[in-house]
Amino acid sequence: MDYAVAITREPASTARRDIDGLREVGWTDAQILTATEVVGFFNYYVRMVEALGVEPEPEMERDPAVWPDP
């Protein structure tokens, strides 16, 4: 999770030690790549949707009982 936050907030600050830390806990290079791609895609998507002012479909509205505001 720390890696996802780091590449979201300050992607240029991600260092070799971050990747090495994931490897130390058992992540493979393929898993690291996949995680990076997924986080990058969602960062792109959320920024695009927010910039365009896209509103969710009614059935996609947040249910506060399930997803409380942060």
Side-chain angles (χ1 to χ4, degrees), residues 4 7-8 32-50:
I7 63 175
T8 296
I32 294 167
L33 175 61
T34 299
T36 304
E37 291 171 333
V38 169
V39 171
F41 170 77
F42 277 99
N43 285 327
Y44 158 77
Y45 183 79
V46 168
R47 282 168 178 76
M48 182 182 66
V49 166
E50 288 179 352

Side-chain angles (χ1 to χ4, degrees), residues 3 7-8 16-17 20 27 30-31 42 44 47 54 59:
Y3 177 70
I7 63 175
T8 296
R16 178 125 198 135
R17 71 181 182 296
D20 290 341
W27 286 45
Q31 291 169 321
F42 277 99
Y44 158 77
R47 282 168 178 76
V54 175
E59 63 272 9

